[in-house]
Amino acid sequence: MGMSDTLLKERIRELLRELVDIRGVSGFEQDIAWAISAKLGEVADDVCIDNMGNVYAVKDGGLPGPTIMLAAHADSVGGIVTEILGNGLVRFQPVGLVSLSSLPSTRVWVGKTRGVIGAVPGHFKSGSDGTATSSAFSVDVGASNSAEVKAFGIDVGSPVSFAGSLVELGNPDRLCSQYVDDRIGCALLLLLLRDIAHERFAGKVNVAITVREETNMAGARIAATRLEPDCAIAVDTVPASDTLPGGSGKFGLGLGPVIQLGEGVQGAFVGTMAHPGMKDAILRSASAQGIQVQLSAEVGRWTTDAAAIHASGCGIPTGFVSVPRRYAHSPNEVMDLNDAASVLKILKGVVLSLGNLDLRFVKR
């Protein structure tokens, strides 16, 4: 491995380490939005935040060409306080699709107060507890009564966020942290703008750091309507399934970025298929750089901001590039730095080749 790859991974690691420590449950993205906007201001031509919390940054390539929107979401899954009990415990319900089985004994922030999600000790379990439901959980913030809870600044409507920090596993390229989804996408777009700061290319890049992806993708819909780009790529994570029994998982860590050709939740009529022009541009960039990729056509399992982007305005040709991560929507997601570095290289290749982009749906 060349020194350049080593340095690239180190840049990703340190930026991600910083971003995962900033709270931003869907609907409560103020802190992460301000932090990312400050960083974007160092490398972009123009930066702003809209009334919903989306962060925008522009980099003009200096030559005539199409405008591409690159989107990653700043929000995360978590919870929201629904009730404060007389004994000082705090009830909450999930925000977004939270992995309920991972919650007992998890350390959290309730607003700006540390707490821990309660768990039934093994001494008291009957062995027939059944499947966990969100109504079974409460947070212990160290209070003895409801008045103490409110004195901590906690009330109904306060956000509940996973607490933790980024750590390296036995293989230092394997990182474990809360909110890999999608702080890694945000980190990669920040680094991309740094890398192309002095490049000339045909077209313009609009980076959109979106809000509320984990709840209803409203941020991406608003951003796409505002920007009216010629094309777009959603930069996100996808659930790696290589830890399933029998090794039956389709997407593994360290095997390259996942290029989604179709995605969505079929029963909810939400999702999209990659536009042929964007699919070709992404795969050409990967092939030209010798990057191994994993192809996905998992309609019916998950969705990304692309589902909102592609149907905005008069229709926006949209593609996907994703980092696989294990233990999705839990307090301890795991990713591989090599996959993330490859995503960054693919995106840079697409941007620098915007002048060759063919967005026709039917080619003659």
Side-chain angles (χ1 to χ4, degrees):
M1 178 175 294
M3 179 61 70
S4 59
D5 287 330
T6 300
L7 291 175
L8 175 58
K9 290 192 294 184
E10 187 59 28
R11 290 169 65 198
I12 297 171
R13 185 200 326 267
E14 292 313 309
L15 182 52
L16 181 62
R17 188 189 306 278
E18 184 176 350
L19 294 182
V20 296
D21 280 345
I22 304 172
R23 296 185 289 279
V25 172
S26 193
F28 301 89
E29 300 96 342
Q30 294 91 335
D31 289 348
I32 187 64
W34 280 114
I36 290 178
S37 67
K39 291 184 177 298
L40 286 170
E42 300 172 1
V43 292
D45 297 334
D46 184 51
V47 178
C48 66
I49 304 178
D50 69 18
N51 291 335
M52 290 297 293
N54 292 312
V55 184
Y56 304 95
V58 179
K59 177 65 180 78
D60 196 313
L63 300 172
T67 296
I68 187 169
M69 172 182 171
L70 302 177
H73 67 90
D75 65 307
S76 60
V77 299
I80 187 169
V81 173
T82 58
E83 184 181 6
I84 299 172
L85 303 181
N87 62 0
L89 295 179
V90 177
R91 294 286 193 194
F92 70 97
Q93 71 177 31
V95 172
L97 182 62
V98 178
S99 175
L100 298 181
S101 63
S102 69
L103 291 185
S105 299
T106 294
R107 296 181 183 183
V108 296
W109 291 95
V110 184
K112 297 182 179 180
T113 301
R114 289 187 180 274
V116 61
I117 297 176
V120 179
H123 308 73
F124 300 143
K125 286 187 176 181
S126 64
S128 59
D129 293 337
T131 303
T133 62
S134 60
S135 62
F137 296 123
S138 59
V139 182
D140 187 341
V141 293
S144 299
N145 53 59
S146 59
E148 288 186 8
V149 173
K150 294 190 175 184
F152 295 154
I154 298 169
D155 210 333
V156 171
S158 294
V160 180
S161 310
F162 297 146
S165 59
L166 185 146
V167 297
E168 299 173 355
L169 301 183
N171 175 351
D173 285 343
R174 298 284 171 92
L175 305 181
C176 175
S177 177
Q178 78 280 19
Y179 303 143
V180 167
D181 176 20
D182 185 27
R183 301 300 167 76
I184 185 59
C186 296
L188 293 177
L189 293 187
L190 277 164
L191 292 172
L192 175 66
L193 286 186
R194 290 182 188 176
D195 284 352
I196 65 173
H198 303 293
E199 297 274 6
R200 281 178 62 81
F201 55 91
K204 182 167 65 175
V205 175
N206 276 321
V207 164
I209 305 298
T210 64
V211 297
R212 306 198 184 188
E213 190 270 353
E214 299 291 3
T215 49
N216 58 15
M217 296 175 288
R221 189 173 295 107
I222 293 165
T225 301
R226 174 189 180 119
L227 295 174
E228 297 184 326
D230 297 306
C231 58
I233 295 177
V235 184
D236 209 330
T237 61
V238 294
S241 45
D242 56 350
T243 58
L244 295 179
S248 59
K250 292 182 180 178
F251 312 129
L253 266 61
L255 300 178
V258 175
I259 309 302
Q260 290 161 262
L261 307 179
E263 55 91 54
V265 181
Q266 191 75 58
F269 300 99
V270 174
T272 187
M273 302 294 179
H275 185 279
M278 298 309 297
K279 168 189 170 183
D280 290 348
I282 292 166
L283 293 180
R284 279 201 311 270
S285 176
S287 178
Q289 300 178 76
I291 296 172
Q292 176 181 328
V293 300
Q294 304 177 79
L295 299 181
S296 165
E298 295 290 317
V299 176
R301 303 296 296 275
W302 63 79
T303 191
T304 69
D305 271 341
I309 294 169
H310 86 284
S312 298
C314 295
I316 300 170
T318 303
F320 322 77
V321 183
S322 297
V323 178
R325 94 289 194 190
R326 292 175 178 168
Y327 322 121
H329 289 190
S330 79
N332 294 288
E333 297 177 323
V334 175
M335 57 157 281
D336 192 301
L337 275 171
N338 295 287
D339 297 328
S342 292
V343 168
L344 181 55
K345 293 176 183 178
I346 290 173
L347 293 173
K348 184 175 181 180
V350 171
V351 167
L352 296 184
S353 301
L354 280 177
N356 300 322
L357 197 60
D358 185 351
L359 296 176
R360 292 175 296 171
F361 188 77
V362 179
K363 300 178 182 179
R364 297 185 183 277

